[in-house]
Amino acid sequence: MDLNADLGEGFGIWRLGDDEALLDVITSANVACGFHAGDPSTMRRVCAAAADRGVAVGAQVGYRDLAGFGRRHIAYDFTELRDEVTYQLAALDGFCRLYRTRVRYLKPHGALYHAAATDETQAAALVAAVNDVDHELPLLCSPGSVLAQLAVGAGLRVVAEGFADRGYLPTGALTPRTHPGALLTDPDAVAAQAVRLATERTVVAVDGTVVACPVESICLHGDTPGAVAAATAVRAALTAAGVTLTPFA
């Protein structure tokens, strides 16, 4: 099982989360590419630290929305979104190559992640960008989403992702952040959900429903309070359950 986290989400002198501590725990790093968060110096720093630890680097691409942290929906047209995703991918890959590594996968962030789960135009723009840049690049996304379906149809590799620190609806979608139960912050609860995802491929929704969730990678949000403690608990719990942690890419 792969364990991923969102990193590099500061900007300028402002830092969000403890990237270096999380890199000691995770196997894949979703690095912000400067549109929803991040900047060139932050991207370089995280790429260097990830390469030093043997952590796979993925491009976490988002809307051009620094003020809203990429969590506000933008009604892009296909061409503009495709090109902005291509721009972000190429920028991060440039920093990776300084440290003799490369971008290993793509994951959309925030509102783009949710839009691409249901919106064919935005999902198609992501697929087109990956096809243009590197057809071998996997897409990390929610299982059964429109993005996953279009990517498979285009011959791309899809890696299904589950969330250790987010609540789920009975439909299998994530609970909106404005609703109760959207975030899990207790490290023991986060670890328990991660173990269930890894060993049973299911998750318990906010109403108690057991939902199938066949995943290859488990995500932790680096901006969640106590993220390092939760990640440490998750890694220990998965190891104790006999789960081998390794990058999918």
Side-chain angles (χ1 to χ4, degrees), residues 176-229:
R177 285 180 175 267
T178 54
H179 293 195
L183 291 175
L184 305 182
T185 56
D186 176 68
D188 291 337
V190 174
Q193 181 151 299
V195 169
R196 184 169 191 135
L197 282 165
T199 60
E200 300 181 22
R201 301 304 201 265
T202 64
V203 68
V204 179
V206 291
D207 68 346
T209 304
V210 176
V211 180
C213 196
V215 301
E216 297 179 64
S217 183
I218 296 173
C219 179
L220 292 158
H221 287 86
D223 63 313
T224 301
V228 175

Side-chain angles (χ1 to χ4, degrees), residues 133-211:
V133 174
D134 182 357
H135 186 76
E136 300 301 316
L137 206 63
L139 268 163
L140 183 60
C141 58
S142 57
S145 62
V146 169
L147 176 57
Q149 295 169 31
L150 292 183
V152 169
L156 299 176
R157 181 185 174 193
V158 170
V159 177
E161 176 184 43
F163 292 83
D165 56 3
R166 290 293 309 275
Y168 279 80
L169 297 174
T171 60
L174 295 177
T175 303
R177 285 180 175 267
T178 54
H179 293 195
L183 291 175
L184 305 182
T185 56
D186 176 68
D188 291 337
V190 174
Q193 181 151 299
V195 169
R196 184 169 191 135
L197 282 165
T199 60
E200 300 181 22
R201 301 304 201 265
T202 64
V203 68
V204 179
V206 291
D207 68 346
T209 304
V210 176
V211 180

Side-chain angles (χ1 to χ4, degrees), residues 6-59:
D6 303 341
L7 303 184
E9 293 187 315
F11 185 79
I13 63 171
W14 179 63
R15 289 201 180 186
L16 180 64
D18 190 337
D19 293 336
E20 282 70 22
L22 282 168
L23 282 167
D24 288 331
V25 179
I26 61 174
T27 54
S28 296
N30 318 316
V31 181
C33 299
F35 274 33
H36 75 276
D39 58 46
S41 294
T42 300
M43 292 160 69
R44 181 171 186 148
R45 172 177 57 80
V46 177
C47 288
D52 184 60
R53 292 163 173 81
V55 174
V57 172

